[in-house]
Each structure stands twice: as C-alpha cells, then as structure tokens.
Amino acid sequence: FILMKNQILILSLFLSILFMRDEISIEIITTNDLHGNIAPQKAWFMNPGFPPDISGGAALLNYVKENRKESDLEILVFDAGNFFQGHPYGMNDGGLKMIEWMNQLEYTALVPGENDFVLGQENLNKLADKAKFPFLMTNLICDDCKLLSDNIKPYIIKDIGDVKIGILGIVNSAIEGLVPSEKIKGIKLENSIKSIEKGVSLLKEKKVNSIIVLTSSGVPWDRDEKYDEFEEKLENQSIDPYLMDLNSIELGRFSNGVDVIVSGGISKGYNLPWYDPYSHVYIFQNYGNGTGFGHFKIDFDSSTKIFKGYQTMVDGKVGQTLLSDDFDSDADEYSKIEEHNTKVIADLYKPLNLKESPLQSINNIIQKKTNYDQWDIPQLGTDLTL
C-alpha cells in the first residue's frame, strides 16, 4: 500500500511538471475610457446612499507593481482609448499628467479614442512623444495630418519567451461624425475590417503566434441583442460591413486570425468577454471613468504556440472595481494625485475675473456648404397674413 501510494505521488508530480511544460501563459491588465479620472472618488453608481470609496490610479499603480514582483509571468498593460478627456485632472494640462501616470505603470501600448482628439492632433502628437509606450493606429491614413510622432505606430511585436505576440490598434472609424472636423483635418480612418485583414496578413508574414487588437470602437450595451441584429442584417444582405463603421463585436465577427480584442469607447464593462463563434475571438471591455480595470491570463500550447484560451485572475471575473476595501494604494502616488486633483478642481471653479482678456474664440469648424434652394415654393400669403 505504501509503495503504491508513493508511485501515485510520483506519477502526480510527473504529470504536474508535464502539464506545466505544456503551457505558456501571459498576464494582461487593461483599462479603457479612463477620461482623465484617476483621482479618488465615491462609487455613487454602487450605492447612492452610502457610496464606497474608490482609490483610483494610486491603487492600480500599486496593483500592477505588486503583480510584477510576485508573478513569474510577463505582464502586458493596455489601454483602449479615451484616456484623458472628460475630467479636470486629465484636461487641465492636455493629458500630460495622465501620460506621466501611465509611464509609471509601464503601459505596453494604447489605441486613441475619439475623445483623445478633442484638443487637436498637435496635442495628441505631443502626448505620444511624451509616452514611453506606443500609440497604435493601424487604420490611420495621414494626408498631411499632424500625427507625425515616431511613437505613433501601425503595430508592434512583443517577443515573450518562445511566443511572438503581434498587436494592432484600430481607432474608431466613426470618428468623423464624433469629432469637430477642424480637429481631424487630413486624417482618414480605413474601414476596420480592411485594416484588420491587412494587419493580420502582415503579422503572419512576420511569424507571429498570436494577435491582439486594441480598439476604441466600443462593445455596446445589450451586446447580445446588437449582435443578433447585426447577424440578421448580414444574412439579409442589407448591409456591407466593408462600407460601415463597426462597433467592437461587429468588428470581432470578421477578425479571423485574431485571438483577443481589448475594447474601449463605451464605459460599459463586462465581467466576462464576448466570444464570437465565427472568428473565435474573445472581446474584453471594462467599466470606465477610472473605476476599474481588467485582469486575465492568456495561454498557449508550449510546442505549437497555438492560443488555447483565457483564464480570469481574480474571483472568476475579468473586470475589477478599484474599491479601497479591496485594493491598497501606493501612498506617495495617492498623495500626488489627490494634491493635483484638488488644485485643478479649485482652478476650474475659481471666481471669474472680468478684467482678464477674453478667451480665444472656438476654432472655425470646416463644414460642407450645400445650397438647399432647389425648389420653387408657391407663396402662401403676405408678410402680414398667411
């Protein structure tokens, strides 16, 4: 009996070692739609009467640092757009404080969202220059535009052990209807599917084993219903996806060769990813406004380097809320963020000084002028009577 027990233990140990060698894993931490809000805040959305505290950026910084110390796996950190516009903390200096914070977290890459163009191309280009990580814009067509930073790239490749990971960035192609035309003069965004197909083909030529897409196209609310509606239109051939602006799950339907999509663009989070039955891609999106983040692990077969799937890292959920009770903060960073946030809020609400020079007028918006005087309308009355 003792001999048999020892044999079973040896066999179990052998199988454990064999299983460990049979898998390569990479951890991924994600944010989206931060909107410049990394300061401590109240979680009014959880309990309007007694909202718990959210520690924000200081807690996420501490979480990433501690995981890098404790984990023996490579950790990639991604942002899926709209990272600075929306809160005084991010807008006060045009996003520079946000980039400073993201540099501390050692982000791997981000894709800009439509709101990141709100202060113009020159500002976004300056932020890319300040970042220690690339801004990915695979579908960017720059026709004498201002996005000229060497840090703006169509893709990157990460060599992690024996696995090569290709990363693309798809900017929301609906940006022309979401951003004043003056801010995106000279910018065109190629159809998302066309850019995905070109990007996948290029990366496969470079012998990548897996492809991750960052996109600011947004996973919509009621994703099941929206996907069913889209699928019905495809079956009826009433739409051409190559001529459309697509959200993230619509894009995922045609993302053959892609394993993971990290989405932003809508501040709606999901605890588990969307899985597309056609392309077999997993699509992740978190709640926005600095309230949380995502954390999961992707696995590869060690011999074939083929993507095997994902695993959650905390409590069976991808999305995590940065509650003070659950996540400790980096004390120094907490003080810095709180001090800056107090200052910018005070600046925002300081009394108006009427002696100051007037604010600059809003830039003229380039508009297409159309003559609508095309028809003869009969006179129905006079200036005095109808």
Side-chain angles (χ1 to χ4, degrees):
F1 175 77
I2 294 175
L3 178 62
M4 182 179 296
K5 186 176 179 180
N6 288 338
Q7 289 174 335
I8 291 173
L9 287 172
I10 292 171
L11 179 60
S12 298
L13 180 60
F14 174 76
L15 290 174
S16 297
I17 294 172
L18 185 65
F19 178 76
M20 287 172 64
R21 288 179 177 175
D22 194 43
E23 195 168 85
I24 300 171
S25 299
I26 300 167
E27 290 187 47
I28 295 178
I29 294 175
T30 66
T31 56
N32 58 272
D33 303 288
L34 291 168
H35 290 295
N37 191 7
I38 60 171
Q41 58 180 292
K42 294 286 187 180
W44 300 101
F45 57 91
M46 298 183 74
N47 187 337
F50 301 95
D53 292 317
I54 289 178
S55 295
L60 184 54
L61 175 63
N62 186 69
Y63 182 82
V64 173
K65 282 183 175 180
E66 291 301 313
N67 272 270
R68 285 200 168 112
K69 289 178 185 176
E70 297 172 6
S71 178
D72 57 354
L73 303 178
E74 181 83 13
I75 298 177
L76 306 180
V77 185
F78 297 121
D79 184 81
N82 299 323
F83 66 93
F84 80 91
Q85 181 276 342
H87 189 276
Y89 190 98
M91 285 290 285
N92 180 261
D93 58 3
L96 290 173
K97 280 288 184 184
M98 288 298 296
I99 290 296
E100 181 182 305
W101 173 78
M102 297 174 95
N103 283 339
Q104 288 187 78
L105 266 79
E106 299 179 28
Y107 269 76
T108 306
L110 71 71
V111 60
E114 64 271 11
N115 291 312
D116 298 323
F117 290 83
V118 70
L119 296 182
Q121 302 171 54
E122 293 90 342
N123 184 75
L124 187 58
N125 195 71
K126 178 175 69 175
L127 296 178
D129 278 336
K130 295 290 184 181
K132 296 179 181 178
F133 52 89
F135 285 28
L136 301 182
M137 304 188 205
T138 308
N139 58 334
L140 172 67
I141 301 173
C142 183
D143 181 13
D144 195 28
C145 75
K146 307 298 183 182
L147 298 175
L148 304 174
S149 172
D150 291 337
N151 212 22
I152 296 174
K153 303 178 184 297
Y155 67 89
I156 57 172
I157 296 176
K158 299 288 291 184
D159 291 298
I160 303 172
D162 295 329
V163 177
K164 291 172 71 76
I165 308 290
I167 304 161
L168 304 172
I170 301 295
V171 182
N172 185 0
S173 62
I175 195 171
E176 291 184 21
L178 301 171
V179 178
S181 55
E182 177 67 21
K183 307 295 184 183
I184 55 173
K185 184 179 179 180
I187 290 177
K188 295 291 183 183
L189 294 172
E190 186 178 40
N191 173 267
S192 302
I193 301 176
K194 293 178 182 178
S195 287
I196 289 283
E197 290 176 343
K198 291 177 183 177
V200 168
S201 177
L202 174 65
L203 291 174
K204 291 297 183 183
E205 289 178 5
K206 294 182 179 295
K207 309 299 182 185
V208 303
N209 305 110
S210 181
I211 297 175
I212 296 172
V213 171
L214 314 181
T215 182
S216 54
S217 301
V219 174
W221 295 77
D222 304 321
R223 57 185 182 178
D224 296 86
E225 295 178 15
K226 295 298 182 183
Y227 187 85
D228 289 342
E229 291 173 7
F230 182 66
E231 192 64 28
E232 183 178 351
K233 291 176 182 178
L234 288 175
E235 291 177 3
N236 296 335
Q237 298 183 340
S238 60
I239 57 173
D240 184 350
Y242 287 87
L243 299 175
M244 294 173 57
D245 299 319
L246 304 176
N247 64 41
S248 295
I249 59 172
E250 293 168 345
L251 175 60
R253 170 68 170 77
F254 295 92
S255 293
N256 298 302
V258 176
D259 295 319
V260 168
I261 293 177
V262 176
S263 174
I266 298 176
S267 296
K268 160 65 175 172
Y270 293 94
N271 286 330
L272 296 175
W274 174 267
Y275 174 75
D276 191 279
Y278 294 93
S279 64
H280 307 292
V281 68
Y282 290 94
I283 307 174
F284 299 80
Q285 183 172 280
N286 309 305
Y287 283 105
N289 297 297
T291 61
F293 66 97
H295 191 184
F296 58 95
K297 180 172 69 171
I298 54 177
D299 302 317
F300 302 88
D301 183 272
S302 62
S303 57
T304 63
K305 311 300 185 297
I306 293 175
F307 174 74
K308 295 175 62 176
Y310 84 97
Q311 298 181 50
T312 60
M313 297 298 292
V314 185
D315 298 333
K317 301 183 297 183
V318 173
Q320 302 296 320
T321 304
L322 285 164
L323 296 171
S324 300
D325 290 342
D326 297 332
F327 296 96
D328 296 327
S329 295
D330 180 290
D332 292 338
E333 188 65 15
Y334 188 95
S335 298
K336 284 170 54 180
I337 291 175
E338 182 77 333
E339 181 181 354
H340 182 68
N341 189 58
T342 301
K343 178 182 180 300
V344 299
I345 294 294
D347 288 345
L348 179 65
Y349 291 106
K350 68 182 180 182
L352 180 64
N353 183 356
L354 298 177
K355 294 181 180 180
E356 290 182 354
S357 59
L359 298 174
Q360 291 183 347
S361 59
I362 298 173
N363 292 331
N364 292 328
I365 296 176
I366 300 172
Q367 301 183 56
K368 180 180 178 183
K369 292 182 171 59
T370 304
N371 180 13
Y372 290 105
D373 187 13
Q374 302 176 46
W375 306 282
D376 293 327
I377 306 298
Q379 184 173 346
L380 300 179
T382 68
D383 291 341
L384 299 177
T385 61
L386 178 62

